[in-house]
Amino acid sequence: MDKLVITGGKRIEGEITAAGSKNSSLPIIAATLLSGSGTFRLHRIPDLKDIATFRQLLGHLGAETAFEDNTLTVSTARVESVLAPYELVKKMRASIYVLGPLLARFGHARVSLPGGCAFGPRPIDLHLMAMEKLGAKITIETGFIDAVAEHGRLRGAEIDFPVTSVGATGNVLMAAVLAEGTTTITNAAAEPEIEALCQFLRAMGAEIEGVGTTTLTIRGRESLRHVEFENIFDRIEAGTILAAAAITGGSVTIRGVIASHMEAVLRKFAEAGCRVDTTEDSVTLQSTGRLTATSIAAEPFPAFPTDMQAQWMALMTQAEGTSEITDHVYHERFNHIPELNRLGAHIEIDGNRALVHGPQALSGTKVMSTDLRASACLVLAGLVADGATEVLRVYHLDRGYERIEERLRSLGAKIRREKYSEFG
Ligand code: UD1
């Protein structure tokens, strides 16, 4: 296995271009299943484990893919299978994204049930409820979701989500664009990644209104076409790099961003005492040498994202005062707290909120990452900890950050990747 060894105390300084978004790539790649017309060319796709897993999944279904220089080409003309096997779904929950497009194009899908995850139960009931509304008959047996369009083709419906779900919104969108008639989704997720999916589907010929809002209206089409498309930037990777500059007292400019996708996070950086400047496609953060405790509550977009909650907590260990961190999306997403405390942080859990008392000097040791963003949080802590921090089980990080150690090194961090064995 790989670990990252970080020697703290170096400032993060310089310029970097934002990577492509993981969370928009996944539904966009799944959406290629909607059309067998030709070869898709998708640009700015990050080179990540999850993307490789998704390629494997598409390959299993019969699609042909190639990946070079962050451009993914996909041809789904020869897709024959509608079965997403356990071995791939268990590696990546986002495999559930093939349910909507397979069902819409072939009238049938069989997708293994995803298991739990490191930060609590993550149900898929909303995905299934929505597919049923669109006219799918769903049975669950031997660990598989078996979905069949009862009339051969899905039918438009009114879908009101009781909880905002990025995944369920994306799945319904992909199902509804080929359904007969009109579908309306209320309380839809308005995350930039869903907006990007809508733009992609529109480019394919889909009719979607309300893009970027929480009410989406989709008029189903008979067929869609293949396209060339440029993916959006990864607002979570960008936010993590800004946090790296903020926690080390440095300064960084990230190019290739859309600042409005990061507004809630940028406001918090400013509130915490950092200088933040934006242009149309760049963001610059400069440390003022002082961080003030700043509370956050993670909620659906446009509020502060749950995927930045752990990184924010790392930052707050260095801030003056007590900050309160609440996660309303995933109440149990606090696996990073015991590890941060092992590095010397003083964080208490009180129900679904964490109280971070700062500033605390951190000192390097071995820490274990348990999920993607928790790992990013530990890397940030390592950047400011005294001595060497070893972040074990880096495979979590590799699911969502492209060449993280190279990118941080290019900004001045002292960080290297090493092999190790967990058995001695
Ligand atoms: C996506 C992101 C993930 C992010 C999350 C919230 C991808 C690949 N992953 O995950 O990084 O943390 O959005 O922004 O894009 N829920 C249900 N039933 C369902 C589905 C969800 O109750 O059927 C609940 C979840 O338990 C959670 C909330 O809805 O409390 C939001 O989850 P959701 O937006 O669906 O997360 P994902 O799409 O899985």
PDB file of all heavy atoms in Angstrom, residues 9 25 36 46 56 94 117 123 132 137 144 178 232 235 259 269 290 344 415 418 421:
ATOM      1  N   GLY A   9       5.411  22.512   8.043  1.00  0.00           N
ATOM      2  CA  GLY A   9       6.113  23.780   8.247  1.00  0.00           C
ATOM      3  C   GLY A   9       6.492  24.525   6.983  1.00  0.00           C
ATOM      4  O   GLY A   9       7.054  25.610   7.056  1.00  0.00           O
ATOM      5  N   SER A  25     -17.788  14.255 -13.450  1.00  0.00           N
ATOM      6  CA  SER A  25     -17.350  13.268 -14.441  1.00  0.00           C
ATOM      7  C   SER A  25     -18.178  11.993 -14.357  1.00  0.00           C
ATOM      8  O   SER A  25     -18.550  11.414 -15.386  1.00  0.00           O
ATOM      9  CB  SER A  25     -15.896  12.840 -14.192  1.00  0.00           C
ATOM     10  OG  SER A  25     -15.021  13.893 -14.366  1.00  0.00           O
ATOM     11  N   GLY A  36     -26.188   5.377 -28.388  1.00  0.00           N
ATOM     12  CA  GLY A  36     -25.255   4.478 -29.069  1.00  0.00           C
ATOM     13  C   GLY A  36     -24.851   5.038 -30.419  1.00  0.00           C
ATOM     14  O   GLY A  36     -24.412   4.297 -31.301  1.00  0.00           O
ATOM     15  N   PRO A  46     -10.600  13.991 -14.661  1.00  0.00           N
ATOM     16  CA  PRO A  46      -9.426  13.765 -13.814  1.00  0.00           C
ATOM     17  C   PRO A  46      -8.960  12.309 -13.877  1.00  0.00           C
ATOM     18  O   PRO A  46      -9.768  11.407 -14.073  1.00  0.00           O
ATOM     19  CB  PRO A  46      -9.940  14.116 -12.415  1.00  0.00           C
ATOM     20  CG  PRO A  46     -11.420  13.920 -12.479  1.00  0.00           C
ATOM     21  CD  PRO A  46     -11.826  14.243 -13.887  1.00  0.00           C
ATOM     22  N   GLN A  56     -13.959   0.606 -16.112  1.00  0.00           N
ATOM     23  CA  GLN A  56     -14.077  -0.857 -16.014  1.00  0.00           C
ATOM     24  C   GLN A  56     -15.541  -1.277 -16.082  1.00  0.00           C
ATOM     25  O   GLN A  56     -15.894  -2.244 -16.742  1.00  0.00           O
ATOM     26  CB  GLN A  56     -13.545  -1.316 -14.647  1.00  0.00           C
ATOM     27  CG  GLN A  56     -12.156  -1.895 -14.667  1.00  0.00           C
ATOM     28  CD  GLN A  56     -11.802  -2.360 -13.263  1.00  0.00           C
ATOM     29  OE1 GLN A  56     -11.792  -1.546 -12.330  1.00  0.00           O
ATOM     30  NE2 GLN A  56     -11.547  -3.637 -13.100  1.00  0.00           N
ATOM     31  N   ALA A  94     -20.860   5.336  -6.641  1.00  0.00           N
ATOM     32  CA  ALA A  94     -21.412   6.104  -7.764  1.00  0.00           C
ATOM     33  C   ALA A  94     -21.772   5.208  -8.954  1.00  0.00           C
ATOM     34  O   ALA A  94     -22.380   5.675  -9.914  1.00  0.00           O
ATOM     35  CB  ALA A  94     -20.438   7.197  -8.182  1.00  0.00           C
ATOM     36  N   CYS A 117     -20.939   2.791   3.925  1.00  0.00           N
ATOM     37  CA  CYS A 117     -19.679   3.482   3.672  1.00  0.00           C
ATOM     38  C   CYS A 117     -19.123   3.953   4.981  1.00  0.00           C
ATOM     39  O   CYS A 117     -19.758   3.825   6.023  1.00  0.00           O
ATOM     40  CB  CYS A 117     -19.858   4.613   2.676  1.00  0.00           C
ATOM     41  SG  CYS A 117     -20.380   6.125   3.426  1.00  0.00           S
ATOM     42  N   PRO A 123     -28.324   5.446   2.034  1.00  0.00           N
ATOM     43  CA  PRO A 123     -29.376   4.704   1.345  1.00  0.00           C
ATOM     44  C   PRO A 123     -29.533   5.121  -0.117  1.00  0.00           C
ATOM     45  O   PRO A 123     -29.019   6.164  -0.525  1.00  0.00           O
ATOM     46  CB  PRO A 123     -30.636   5.060   2.142  1.00  0.00           C
ATOM     47  CG  PRO A 123     -30.327   6.343   2.817  1.00  0.00           C
ATOM     48  CD  PRO A 123     -28.852   6.385   3.035  1.00  0.00           C
ATOM     49  N   GLU A 132     -39.389   4.130  -9.852  1.00  0.00           N
ATOM     50  CA  GLU A 132     -40.743   3.553  -9.805  1.00  0.00           C
ATOM     51  C   GLU A 132     -41.760   4.551 -10.322  1.00  0.00           C
ATOM     52  O   GLU A 132     -42.660   4.213 -11.084  1.00  0.00           O
ATOM     53  CB  GLU A 132     -41.087   3.112  -8.377  1.00  0.00           C
ATOM     54  CG  GLU A 132     -40.524   1.739  -8.070  1.00  0.00           C
ATOM     55  CD  GLU A 132     -40.756   1.259  -6.647  1.00  0.00           C
ATOM     56  OE1 GLU A 132     -41.026   2.102  -5.759  1.00  0.00           O
ATOM     57  OE2 GLU A 132     -40.636   0.041  -6.427  1.00  0.00           O
ATOM     58  N   LYS A 137     -40.555  -1.253 -12.684  1.00  0.00           N
ATOM     59  CA  LYS A 137     -40.904  -2.222 -11.641  1.00  0.00           C
ATOM     60  C   LYS A 137     -39.577  -2.643 -11.024  1.00  0.00           C
ATOM     61  O   LYS A 137     -38.667  -3.084 -11.731  1.00  0.00           O
ATOM     62  CB  LYS A 137     -41.606  -3.416 -12.267  1.00  0.00           C
ATOM     63  CG  LYS A 137     -42.079  -4.401 -11.246  1.00  0.00           C
ATOM     64  CD  LYS A 137     -43.078  -5.372 -11.863  1.00  0.00           C
ATOM     65  CE  LYS A 137     -43.746  -6.272 -10.840  1.00  0.00           C
ATOM     66  NZ  LYS A 137     -42.902  -6.793  -9.814  1.00  0.00           N
ATOM     67  N   PHE A 144     -29.195  -7.664  -5.602  1.00  0.00           N
ATOM     68  CA  PHE A 144     -29.262  -6.863  -6.837  1.00  0.00           C
ATOM     69  C   PHE A 144     -30.571  -6.084  -6.921  1.00  0.00           C
ATOM     70  O   PHE A 144     -31.613  -6.568  -6.487  1.00  0.00           O
ATOM     71  CB  PHE A 144     -29.165  -7.770  -8.068  1.00  0.00           C
ATOM     72  CG  PHE A 144     -27.746  -8.104  -8.426  1.00  0.00           C
ATOM     73  CD1 PHE A 144     -27.110  -9.177  -7.827  1.00  0.00           C
ATOM     74  CD2 PHE A 144     -27.038  -7.336  -9.332  1.00  0.00           C
ATOM     75  CE1 PHE A 144     -25.792  -9.484  -8.122  1.00  0.00           C
ATOM     76  CE2 PHE A 144     -25.728  -7.627  -9.647  1.00  0.00           C
ATOM     77  CZ  PHE A 144     -25.097  -8.715  -9.041  1.00  0.00           C
ATOM     78  N   LEU A 178     -34.941  10.268 -21.748  1.00  0.00           N
ATOM     79  CA  LEU A 178     -35.423   9.360 -22.807  1.00  0.00           C
ATOM     80  C   LEU A 178     -36.824   8.827 -22.508  1.00  0.00           C
ATOM     81  O   LEU A 178     -37.312   7.941 -23.207  1.00  0.00           O
ATOM     82  CB  LEU A 178     -34.462   8.172 -22.985  1.00  0.00           C
ATOM     83  CG  LEU A 178     -33.138   8.381 -23.742  1.00  0.00           C
ATOM     84  CD1 LEU A 178     -32.396   7.053 -23.878  1.00  0.00           C
ATOM     85  CD2 LEU A 178     -33.353   8.994 -25.119  1.00  0.00           C
ATOM     86  N   ILE A 232     -16.343  20.516 -15.971  1.00  0.00           N
ATOM     87  CA  ILE A 232     -16.053  21.666 -15.104  1.00  0.00           C
ATOM     88  C   ILE A 232     -14.912  21.344 -14.130  1.00  0.00           C
ATOM     89  O   ILE A 232     -14.493  20.202 -14.007  1.00  0.00           O
ATOM     90  CB  ILE A 232     -17.294  22.102 -14.284  1.00  0.00           C
ATOM     91  CG1 ILE A 232     -17.872  20.922 -13.484  1.00  0.00           C
ATOM     92  CG2 ILE A 232     -18.335  22.722 -15.183  1.00  0.00           C
ATOM     93  CD1 ILE A 232     -18.901  21.315 -12.435  1.00  0.00           C
ATOM     94  N   ARG A 235     -14.421  21.798  -7.549  1.00  0.00           N
ATOM     95  CA  ARG A 235     -14.458  22.852  -6.526  1.00  0.00           C
ATOM     96  C   ARG A 235     -13.945  22.343  -5.180  1.00  0.00           C
ATOM     97  O   ARG A 235     -13.521  23.120  -4.328  1.00  0.00           O
ATOM     98  CB  ARG A 235     -15.875  23.436  -6.400  1.00  0.00           C
ATOM     99  CG  ARG A 235     -16.917  22.441  -5.983  1.00  0.00           C
ATOM    100  CD  ARG A 235     -18.329  22.953  -6.188  1.00  0.00           C
ATOM    101  NE  ARG A 235     -19.286  21.868  -6.030  1.00  0.00           N
ATOM    102  CZ  ARG A 235     -20.077  21.718  -4.982  1.00  0.00           C
ATOM    103  NH1 ARG A 235     -20.067  22.602  -4.019  1.00  0.00           N
ATOM    104  NH2 ARG A 235     -20.904  20.693  -4.904  1.00  0.00           N
ATOM    105  N   ALA A 259     -15.645  30.991  -9.893  1.00  0.00           N
ATOM    106  CA  ALA A 259     -15.664  31.402  -8.481  1.00  0.00           C
ATOM    107  C   ALA A 259     -17.047  31.237  -7.851  1.00  0.00           C
ATOM    108  O   ALA A 259     -17.159  30.916  -6.657  1.00  0.00           O
ATOM    109  CB  ALA A 259     -15.167  32.833  -8.361  1.00  0.00           C
ATOM    110  N   PHE A 269     -13.508  31.528   4.170  1.00  0.00           N
ATOM    111  CA  PHE A 269     -12.073  31.828   4.237  1.00  0.00           C
ATOM    112  C   PHE A 269     -11.867  33.302   4.608  1.00  0.00           C
ATOM    113  O   PHE A 269     -11.002  33.639   5.414  1.00  0.00           O
ATOM    114  CB  PHE A 269     -11.383  31.530   2.892  1.00  0.00           C
ATOM    115  CG  PHE A 269     -10.984  30.085   2.703  1.00  0.00           C
ATOM    116  CD1 PHE A 269     -11.509  29.329   1.662  1.00  0.00           C
ATOM    117  CD2 PHE A 269     -10.054  29.487   3.549  1.00  0.00           C
ATOM    118  CE1 PHE A 269     -11.139  28.002   1.464  1.00  0.00           C
ATOM    119  CE2 PHE A 269      -9.661  28.158   3.365  1.00  0.00           C
ATOM    120  CZ  PHE A 269     -10.210  27.413   2.317  1.00  0.00           C
ATOM    121  N   ARG A 290      -3.050  35.302  10.425  1.00  0.00           N
ATOM    122  CA  ARG A 290      -3.900  35.067  11.589  1.00  0.00           C
ATOM    123  C   ARG A 290      -5.194  34.395  11.153  1.00  0.00           C
ATOM    124  O   ARG A 290      -5.781  34.781  10.155  1.00  0.00           O
ATOM    125  CB  ARG A 290      -4.246  36.416  12.218  1.00  0.00           C
ATOM    126  CG  ARG A 290      -4.180  36.339  13.674  1.00  0.00           C
ATOM    127  CD  ARG A 290      -4.365  37.601  14.419  1.00  0.00           C
ATOM    128  NE  ARG A 290      -5.118  37.205  15.608  1.00  0.00           N
ATOM    129  CZ  ARG A 290      -6.268  37.719  15.932  1.00  0.00           C
ATOM    130  NH1 ARG A 290      -6.819  38.638  15.211  1.00  0.00           N
ATOM    131  NH2 ARG A 290      -6.890  37.283  17.015  1.00  0.00           N
ATOM    132  N   GLY A 344      -2.740  16.112  17.954  1.00  0.00           N
ATOM    133  CA  GLY A 344      -2.623  17.188  18.947  1.00  0.00           C
ATOM    134  C   GLY A 344      -3.756  18.193  18.923  1.00  0.00           C
ATOM    135  O   GLY A 344      -3.741  19.165  19.683  1.00  0.00           O
ATOM    136  N   ILE A 415       6.432  16.689   0.662  1.00  0.00           N
ATOM    137  CA  ILE A 415       5.526  15.539   0.740  1.00  0.00           C
ATOM    138  C   ILE A 415       5.979  14.493  -0.262  1.00  0.00           C
ATOM    139  O   ILE A 415       6.339  14.826  -1.389  1.00  0.00           O
ATOM    140  CB  ILE A 415       4.055  16.001   0.475  1.00  0.00           C
ATOM    141  CG1 ILE A 415       3.083  14.814   0.426  1.00  0.00           C
ATOM    142  CG2 ILE A 415       3.914  16.790  -0.806  1.00  0.00           C
ATOM    143  CD1 ILE A 415       1.614  15.257   0.428  1.00  0.00           C
ATOM    144  N   GLU A 418       5.294   6.823  -0.392  1.00  0.00           N
ATOM    145  CA  GLU A 418       6.144   5.641  -0.152  1.00  0.00           C
ATOM    146  C   GLU A 418       5.276   4.405  -0.053  1.00  0.00           C
ATOM    147  O   GLU A 418       4.110   4.481   0.308  1.00  0.00           O
ATOM    148  CB  GLU A 418       6.891   5.795   1.181  1.00  0.00           C
ATOM    149  CG  GLU A 418       8.104   6.674   1.086  1.00  0.00           C
ATOM    150  CD  GLU A 418       8.813   6.779   2.439  1.00  0.00           C
ATOM    151  OE1 GLU A 418       8.503   5.986   3.362  1.00  0.00           O
ATOM    152  OE2 GLU A 418       9.669   7.677   2.557  1.00  0.00           O
ATOM    153  N   SER A 421       3.903  -1.827   4.191  1.00  0.00           N
ATOM    154  CA  SER A 421       3.060  -2.995   4.412  1.00  0.00           C
ATOM    155  C   SER A 421       2.373  -2.827   5.754  1.00  0.00           C
ATOM    156  O   SER A 421       2.992  -2.379   6.728  1.00  0.00           O
ATOM    157  CB  SER A 421       3.914  -4.261   4.409  1.00  0.00           C
ATOM    158  OG  SER A 421       3.215  -5.274   5.092  1.00  0.00           O
TER     159      SER A 421
END
